[in-house]
Amino acid sequence: MTEPSTRSNVDQSNTTDRKETAVVVGKESVGKSALVAGLTGTTPTTGNFRGTTVDVERYESPERVFVDTPGILLDADTETTRTAIEAVEGSETVLLVVRATDIDEDLDDLLPLVQGKVGAIAVTFWDKVENQADARAELDALAKDVGVPIVPVDARTVTPAVTDGGNATPDETGYNRLHSAIDNADKFPGRTPQRTGIHLEPPATILERPILGPLLSIALLLLPAAVAVHFANAAAAELSPRVGTVLEHAVQWASGLPGPLAAVLGGDYGLLSMGPFLFVWAGPTILIFALFMAVYKQSGLVTRITASLHPHLRRVGLTGRDLVRVVMGFGCNVPAVTSTRGCSDCTRRTTVSAIGFGSACSYQFPATLAVFAAVEMPWLVLPYIGVLTTTTLIYARLIAPDRARTASLATENRAFVQWPTWRSVWREIKTVVRSFFVKALPVFAGIVLVASLLDYLGVLDVLGKLLSPAMAIFNLPGEMALVVVLGSIRKDGLLLLRSDGLSATLSAMTPVQVLTAVYLAGVLLPCLVTAITVARELSLRYAGTMMLRQAAAAAGFSLLIGWGGAVLL
């Protein structure tokens, strides 16, 4: 059997006993990832982000290896669609996944892509079909016409074990029938099959209403941030004193080590000093965003929100699908940037720039909350989010190419809104957490090392002094220069505002100055983790251009905030 050749270099050469490989292909939001996870009882060996597959992923079961591909959008020029098509072209066995909502349309679009391949068809959302007996007769007739096995399933309940209720067997959930269909796979035809007439129209919700829909969609996207504000503050209040007590002796021990090592471990920006911030502040934020985005994806809300906001966002050069990725960045910029592979080529760079500019990640956002709490101005979080959102949209509008403002939505038919299963939500949360530890955390450790050594060598102090006069341009005291410098290296550098050395300066600042300082330090440059990811995903040249352009825009907006706010208030 010829193994699939894909961009993610999925290597089946080491698969135990050379198991058969089946490539899973279908449009977006058809339940491919949930279906394959149920068929194997495993999680993927390469990363996906909150349910949206951004590259090919390998699942291995005792029977065979499944390669899950990104959702195909035939009307969009996305990297993920090209990746999926390449995976199919390099394979022999294919599991084609279509929706019961519109079987005929999906087969018309996808059968030409798998013509001549050997495989079977899975029909998801079968639980939504009302007259299943008649519909099943239609599927049986279709299977005879197409010449390949067709299995109707609810992708959420496919499992090799009994369900939570203990009443359904693997065969009843579709597990055995799907594996049997692949065992008896046949060649896909090169012609249009007979029409089944099966078509389900998901009921409309309030999200489709002209005015209330977009407002509710915005509220749903902001909800994770609102919950994170409350939960992160509560968790930090409970955990910070305990973590500080536990680490106090370790920091004192590290301070007695040789100079550079003491700085890296126990210095102001060392691992022992700043590392716990990940778990006290950033940890809860990541979990909250992972939970919400998993529920949104599995419930079908993401596609409804996308369609609701798209007509308004296209004016600034983004689509509704792009905005969801920008919001994902509030959890972690790294997987959010990676997920832009699913954006259209004409909007991807604008989306990446919007993430780098306005997605206050799980380092920046909790650090911002901590600063506002330190000056007893927690209410500043509302104007902060308002200013950040407004300036990000303006920035996107300024840098977006003209053709991006005429881009189509490039999404599939309206999805059903349904209750997600805890199994699918938990699977996606685990994937996000694993991605954070495997991808973001190692880069964070490297940045900690660099920042600590720069501090030890006095470079940060020199930069702060050189830039102090420039702070007056933004109506800020000169002491804010070091905060801006460190915040440009690491977003949790904002916490320097809480240090003893700056406590008096911070207390004397007006609310407008505090807001300006936090905003400037947060958006002047994307954090180094994000910049490195952008360079890998696009190019080093584009990452450099993006940083220079963002710095100019951030400086301009900060001038307006610092002086405009002072005049108005």
Side-chain angles (χ1 to χ4, degrees), residues 111-133:
L111 277 179
L113 299 179
V114 298
Q115 178 182 350
K117 304 295 181 182
V118 174
I121 298 174
V123 179
T124 56
F125 292 99
W126 192 250
D127 56 305
K128 307 301 181 185
V129 177
E130 294 182 358
N131 193 342
Q132 293 190 0

Side-chain angles (χ1 to χ4, degrees), residues 26-33 51-53 69-73 97-99 101 106 124-125 155 296-298 300-304 306 321 411-416 418:
K27 294 184 179 181
E28 273 201 338
S29 304
V30 297
K32 292 184 287 76
S33 297
T52 300
T53 310
T69 61
I72 291 178
L73 291 170
V97 184
V98 300
R99 304 159 299 180
T101 50
D106 283 2
T124 56
F125 292 99
Y296 286 178
K297 170 66 179 181
Q298 292 298 317
L301 281 174
V302 162
T303 57
R304 298 293 186 106
T306 292
R321 299 173 72 250
T411 189
E412 300 303 335
N413 294 339
R414 192 164 64 200
F416 277 98
Q418 58 189 357

Side-chain angles (χ1 to χ4, degrees), residues 378-394:
W379 54 270
L380 275 177
V381 69
L382 294 178
Y384 170 75
I385 292 177
V387 168
L388 188 63
T389 301
T390 302
T391 55
T392 300
L393 293 176
I394 295 174

Side-chain angles (χ1 to χ4, degrees), residues 219-230:
L220 288 172
L221 289 178
L222 292 178
L223 182 60
V227 175
V229 169
H230 173 76

Side-chain angles (χ1 to χ4, degrees), residues 455-474:
D455 178 52
Y456 173 74
L457 296 173
V459 175
L460 292 181
D461 287 333
V462 171
L463 287 175
K465 291 178 181 178
L466 290 175
L467 293 175
S468 289
M471 292 297 100
I473 299 175
F474 304 103

Side-chain angles (χ1 to χ4, degrees), residues 431-457:
T431 301
V432 173
V433 173
R434 184 177 66 246
S435 176
F436 171 75
F437 278 100
V438 172
K439 295 180 179 180
L441 195 57
V443 180
F444 170 81
I447 292 175
V448 166
L449 174 64
V450 173
S452 299
L453 292 177
L454 289 177
D455 178 52
Y456 173 74
L457 296 173

Side-chain angles (χ1 to χ4, degrees), residues 288-376:
I288 288 169
F289 274 89
L291 172 62
F292 272 91
M293 298 313 296
V295 170
Y296 286 178
K297 170 66 179 181
Q298 292 298 317
S299 66
L301 281 174
V302 162
T303 57
R304 298 293 186 106
I305 292 172
T306 292
S308 176
L309 294 176
H310 176 69
H312 308 280
L313 287 170
R314 65 185 301 178
R315 299 172 184 173
V316 300
L318 296 173
T319 68
R321 299 173 72 250
D322 300 332
L323 180 63
V324 172
R325 285 162 171 79
V326 175
V327 174
M328 287 177 178
F330 277 79
C332 183
N333 281 187
V334 172
V337 170
T338 304
S339 74
T340 62
R341 297 175 192 170
C343 297
S344 173
D345 285 347
C346 66
T347 65
R348 186 185 184 191
R349 295 195 171 197
T350 305
T351 306
V352 168
S353 295
I355 291 171
F357 190 95
S359 292
C361 69
S362 54
Y363 301 111
Q364 180 182 344
F365 194 54
T368 300
L369 300 180
V371 171
F372 290 157
V375 294
E376 299 182 354

